[in-house]
Amino acid sequence: IISAQVDNVMNVFLNHCEELGVKAIAYGYDFAIDRQCDKMVVESQAGNREYPLPALLGDHQILNASVVVMACDLLENYSNITH
């Protein structure tokens, strides 16, 4: 899962994933966030989901939270992971 990056850095990550034969899940390609007044909306192929804004300082924390949401989605899809 790749957070937002400048184009040349994103390309390095995407190319490396391709070389390794692993699926990249990248911000701006596979998921995005939309900050609204009192919530954030994570937009992905799984649909749009609303969450409260993180209670952390800095707008970058919204981006960090969206990466965590995507990581949880990915882990949820593995049947061999137990709770």
Side-chain angles (χ1 to χ4, degrees):
I1 300 173
I2 306 168
S3 187
Q5 305 293 327
V6 295
D7 288 343
N8 58 339
V9 173
M10 182 64 82
N11 289 334
V12 169
F13 287 149
L14 294 174
N15 289 336
H16 191 63
C17 288
E18 186 175 337
E19 290 169 5
L20 294 174
V22 297
K23 179 180 174 160
I25 299 171
Y27 182 83
Y29 295 82
D30 302 295
F31 69 101
I33 53 171
D34 180 23
R35 179 183 180 161
Q36 298 179 1
C37 294
D38 59 346
K39 63 186 172 188
M40 67 178 211
V41 180
V42 178
E43 303 166 348
S44 72
Q45 293 175 346
N48 294 351
R49 288 161 294 159
E50 295 180 2
Y51 298 93
L53 290 173
L56 302 167
L57 296 177
D59 286 340
H60 66 285
Q61 298 296 358
I62 297 169
L63 177 60
N64 292 342
S66 72
V67 172
V68 171
V69 168
M70 295 309 298
C72 290
D73 284 353
L74 182 64
L75 290 173
E76 191 172 61
N77 290 325
Y78 286 96
S79 61
N80 62 343
I81 294 176
T82 58
H83 299 280

